[in-house]
Amino acid sequence: MDDEAFYQIVSVFQHLVSWVAAGAMVFGGLVPYVPQYRDIRRTQNAEGFSTYVCLVLLVANILRILFRFGRYFETLLLWQSIIMIATMLIMLNLCTNVRMAADLNTKRRSFVDFDWSYFWLWSRFLDYMQCVLAFTLMAAYVTYLFLDSALFVESLGFLAVFTEAMLGTPQLYCNYQNKSTEGMSIKMVLMWTSGDTFKTGYFLLTQAPVQFWICGLLQVLVDFTILFQVYYYSRYPQKPASHTVSHTSSAKAL
């Protein structure tokens, strides 16, 4: 009886851990953006957050969803992509409203102008939605045409996770150019690192497609490189501490 009770407790614990891990996998990706969202709302200033982050994550997660039509992966990862897309659209909406409220005299730009010099710098949230919808329809049509090609499907999956893995590289390059990490939240970087490490471990344990965990390892490497920049530039400052971080510098968050 004691052994039976012990195994029941272990079983309950395993199920509890499984549910917690699943919840962390689905919702963990949006957590770093919650304080960023609140900070932008409070300060009415979106200069510290690059909307190109939203672009990268939207493209990556749309491609990942399309990849699932050719190569099955866990439903939890599908929900993760859906929630991340919704999160990035919410961030875009906030940043667009704040930026336009601050730049009342700026000429309005729209998606249908097809002016590449102002790509992803439009004046209305509706323009971003039009772009996302156009990309989704085009990518879905191409995927439908080549869905029977194993090479195309595997390439699509790799492109999806590789795009997401490269999310930190603009911030890495920005820090290198500035020779400083001022204006970047260390708390955010630590959250990215812990989240990406957990995600990569989850991919390995659940035997996700090889593209997922290879790019996950790459993403963790980028995160740790950014943390090394934090240490290096604080220990060996190479420019005056006070400088301005431009809106165009891409970053995952503040």
Side-chain angles (χ1 to χ4, degrees):
M1 181 65 67
D2 290 340
D3 288 343
E4 183 178 350
F6 174 76
Y7 286 125
Q8 287 179 346
I9 293 173
V10 170
S11 177
V12 171
F13 180 75
Q14 287 177 337
H15 280 84
L16 179 61
V17 171
S18 177
W19 276 101
V20 171
M25 195 64 198
V26 172
F27 297 102
L30 66 86
V31 171
Y33 299 98
V34 172
Q36 181 70 66
Y37 181 90
R38 295 177 62 184
D39 186 56
I40 294 174
R41 282 285 300 271
R42 186 182 70 254
T43 63
Q44 289 298 296
N45 186 346
E47 293 300 313
F49 179 77
S50 173
T51 55
Y52 288 104
V53 172
C54 301
L55 173 62
V56 172
L57 282 174
L58 285 168
V59 169
N61 285 282
I62 289 170
L63 293 180
R64 183 195 283 187
I65 291 173
L66 294 176
F67 173 58
R68 194 174 191 266
F69 288 97
R71 174 83 178 274
Y72 178 82
F73 56 80
E74 262 201 298
T75 304
L76 284 177
L77 299 181
L78 175 63
W79 278 109
Q80 181 194 52
S81 291
I82 293 172
I83 290 174
M84 184 56 70
I85 289 172
T87 302
M88 290 302 101
L89 291 176
I90 291 171
M91 291 296 298
L92 267 177
N93 185 38
L94 175 64
C95 291
T96 304
N97 292 337
V98 169
R99 188 171 67 247
M100 287 304 101
D103 300 329
L104 295 176
N105 296 324
T106 303
K107 181 180 178 180
R108 295 301 187 250
R109 306 287 180 177
S110 66
F111 171 66
V112 294
D113 291 338
F114 299 111
D115 185 347
W116 286 102
S117 61
Y118 288 93
F119 177 77
W120 212 249
L121 295 172
W122 303 305
S123 304
R124 302 175 305 163
F125 175 66
L126 178 62
D127 295 300
Y128 292 95
M129 287 296 298
Q130 290 173 347
C131 180
V132 170
L133 181 60
F135 172 78
T136 302
L137 292 176
M138 181 181 66
Y141 180 67
V142 173
T143 301
Y144 173 76
L145 292 179
F146 296 97
L147 195 58
D148 293 333
S149 170
L151 177 61
F152 173 81
V153 171
E154 295 301 325
S155 299
L156 181 65
F158 179 80
L159 181 62
V161 291
F162 183 76
T163 301
E164 184 176 356
M166 290 294 99
L167 185 60
T169 54
Q171 182 65 58
L172 189 69
Y173 182 68
C174 177
N175 294 341
Y176 173 76
Q177 279 192 316
N178 294 331
K179 304 300 181 185
S180 171
T181 58
E182 185 180 348
M184 181 191 71
S185 171
I186 299 176
K187 181 175 68 174
M188 289 295 168
V189 180
L190 291 172
M191 292 175 73
W192 303 335
T193 306
S194 59
D196 292 338
T197 302
F198 173 82
K199 178 175 64 178
T200 303
Y202 185 87
F203 290 157
L204 290 169
L205 291 174
T206 58
Q207 298 182 337
V210 66
Q211 299 99 321
F212 282 54
W213 61 263
I214 288 179
C215 290
L217 290 173
L218 179 60
Q219 198 166 1
V220 172
L221 176 62
V222 172
D223 292 339
F224 274 106
T225 305
I226 295 175
L227 285 175
F228 175 76
Q229 287 183 318
V230 173
Y231 164 78
Y232 183 82
Y233 290 132
S234 62
R235 185 73 180 271
Y236 307 102
Q238 300 181 35
K239 66 177 295 181
S242 178
H243 69 280
T244 302
V245 178
S246 67
H247 172 69
T248 56
S249 62
S250 296
K252 278 187 177 178
L254 185 62

